[in-house]
Amino acid sequence: MKNKIRILPLARPLRLLAFPLASLPVQAKGDLTKSANIAPLGRISVSGHLKSNRKEPVWKMTEGKPRRKVSLKSIRSIARKYIILLIALSTLIAVIPLNRAHATQTAPLLKGWGGVGVAESDQNSTGCPSSCKAPPSAVFSGERASNMEQAFTNLTSKGLNAERVLFYNHYANKTLNQIMVNHGVSVFNYTDSRLSRTFSIAQHFSIWLVLNEHQSCDWANATTRCHQVFGGPQYNVTFTNVQGNWTSFWQNNVTRVAYSSGYSNFIYEPLNEPHSSAPTQVLVAGVWQTQPYPGKPQNLVGAYQNFINMIRNTVRDTTHFIIASNAANDGDLPTLTDSASLLMLTHHFYYQYNASCGTTAAHLVPSYTGPGNSFLLLTYCGWSNTNAQLWADNVTSYMRTAQARFGWPVISTETGADYLSGSPPNATLAGSCKYAPPNLAFVQELINDFSQSPAIGYQLWTNGDWTGSGVYGCLAGWGKSVTYPTVPSSFVHITTTTQTVPELTVPESEQRTFQNPRGQHGYYAFYRDSLSSVQSCYLATSPDATSWTYGQSTGLANLYDSCGVAFTQNPSNNRTLVYLVASRHSTSVGTNHDIDFRIGSIADSGVSLTWLTSIIALKTSSITENLGYPAIAQDINGYLHVVFSYSNDASGTSNDAQNVEVCSSTTANPTANPSWVCSNPLSNNPFPEEKVANIDTPVAMPHVLTLASGVLIIKGTCTGVESNFVTCSFGSDVIERSAVMTWNGSTQSWGNTASFTLNSASPAHIRSSGINATDGRALYAYQGGSTNLDLVARYIDSPYTTWSSEKTQCSSCVSSGNYYYGAHWTHVQGVSSIDRFYLFFSIDNNKFYSVNETDSAVASAKIVEYNNGTTSSAYPTSQSLVVATGGEAVIPVLWVQGLSTDREIWFEKRDIN
């Protein structure tokens, strides 16, 4: 946030400029930034407090005033006693053992906004009591929702997970206190009570808080003069020798309130764009020396190091990250140490317009291309969407290089669409949320870039209510146009297989990966491989989705390599039960083409999957039969249902038959191998019997979904274009069918049916089904459209008699004659703001993608989940149902990566926020 008077130091290296110094304009800014500003052009980080044209809020929140005068002597006496009390309390606090989690060096991946002031946590009484404007509070009983609560509701509804909350430290001294309270942004005025309410609101929404003291000069010690501007009329305040007050404020106020809250998702950001260049002065050998441009990070090292040591050694907080900024204006990042290894570095970015380049703008790109790879600012001009996107790419390159150079995670805690200066020819709006199309293009490109692996966190500017744009600030303006790419939690290579084809995680009708909702919340992946001459379905397990134990045998025989799993909690025995089904992918009929079944268990105390039963054939094949591609589901009463393709090629042709068969367990929640009742595939249940001659391979890859009563079975009709390990034959037609089946433990009852016509070249193995367990709507994704180039979806509602029309998920994302390489639904439920579907898919162009949506099957723009850049990404498959309140509330995603030999199995722990 910007309001610092920018004075261009004459010593600025001329080689950085694309224009003469004499051409620099003097800028007059209104309201909170009325002072003249001679700005170095093309800045990426604009140092200070308020951007141009900031407006005071309509109402002002200030501290209560005393009713009587108190003498200075009395104040000093009270202050001494208060300080002594604080010291005593802080000593007591320091010796109390704190139950804090062990520190992790993995930084949280934040995506959100910033700018909400701490005083926005105050109860909203607008219009009350006769006509209250704010909705009832969900956090504080009997209150109306504060502007902060409304802002956090809006933020989380967009799947964002972080807010940068701002406040002043007005305890530095009496004069600074009065200036900041009376002339700064009133909603930044700090009290312990306001911060406490902020934590209560954040905890309700499970949102990350970046606690930002929004001041630029509190680092100044006795040998530093730092200038900062507040409010309107503006006050240019000189800070010197305030560093001790700064660390005391954080020690005795901020950290105390934070720990008292009991909420742990917060990060310290003790300064905002600390001023380290002119007009800041440093006392050297008795002489005050004005600091050169760009800012010198060396000036900040001592202050930041003192702050870090105070947090770690005095407060004894070794579990929360600290964010340190680059040296404003436009300088490099400081070199710091942290005994807890919990440090992050930030740099703020804006795509600034300046008329000194004619109709273009000059921009500075930080880099490490100076002599000896030293820090160097590069300058170029341009004002267009394309140029803005290029600049965002350059910024991303700098941030990734900085992360490698300094060894700490990086984040941009402030990036916005404000053009900062001048009057762009295509400017939109005015005031605090002004922007131009190139600025918006810059922001979108930057967060797109930041969301690529390895991802970088970001917070956009600003959604504070003080902007004059309403409760949601700029999020209600240009922020409406921003889309938020997926920020991956982790990508990891599980294993390299011996296989040469990519069909190792299909068909998509089977669930092959999940996270245990109980105990240690481990991760599980099932995939096809051939080890020690046994081609089968193998298991990999991980406690954290990072380190994997792979190549574990499932006990299946050679060639039983098509498998799927279901799992259920077994709390009475402190475990999770896992049900495995498998078959061969055979192209011929014969005995030993069975459907196999096995039960496993995961104890709450561990991650390993232990097999409770031996493998049984729940359905055996005769010499003329071929059974394949099983899928399994558990109904709401705990019974298991297994669906699979049935083919019979008997002597002659009169007895040839094809159908889907359904087997149901006679025991609910079985812990030992149950008995099964199976449908008659030679009947018209679940679907009309087909009698095509001489078909030995399966004709379907069926799906089974749990309903409020019974299950929904989808045929998964094959069209004959399936290949390699998923060979499947075209039967009598390309009609896709569904049927409802209910089960009472002994008898299968058949209900409503529905159907639609597929494209004749739609492959069965990439089709995926999912169901909203809340409203019962089932979704079905497949390759289709009028030219078979689209990824489309349909849905069906109870009573399951009619499918909807096609809804496009990805339009013409493959070229003529080509196919999508996998598609899999995940339904996320359990948190009202995150109740939606994700569809993961690949088009075999070194990337795989996702779209997210509600159950209307109206998809968002596709998002790149993973981009290898060299080798293809194929057949992503995911956990079918994720309950956001269990485990880590992430989506396990499994896919195949690699060239034509030694295919690799990869995994993503996909953040749903």
Side-chain angles (χ1 to χ4, degrees), residues 665-680:
S665 70
T666 59
T667 304
N669 301 306
T671 58
N673 285 327
S675 58
W676 299 83
V677 172
C678 299
S679 63
N680 178 7

Side-chain angles (χ1 to χ4, degrees), residues 30-52:
D31 293 320
L32 295 180
T33 52
K34 291 179 179 176
S35 298
N37 181 10
I38 304 177
L41 297 179
R43 60 183 180 256
I44 305 176
S45 170
V46 183
S47 178
H49 234 44
L50 295 176
K51 298 187 189 76
S52 57

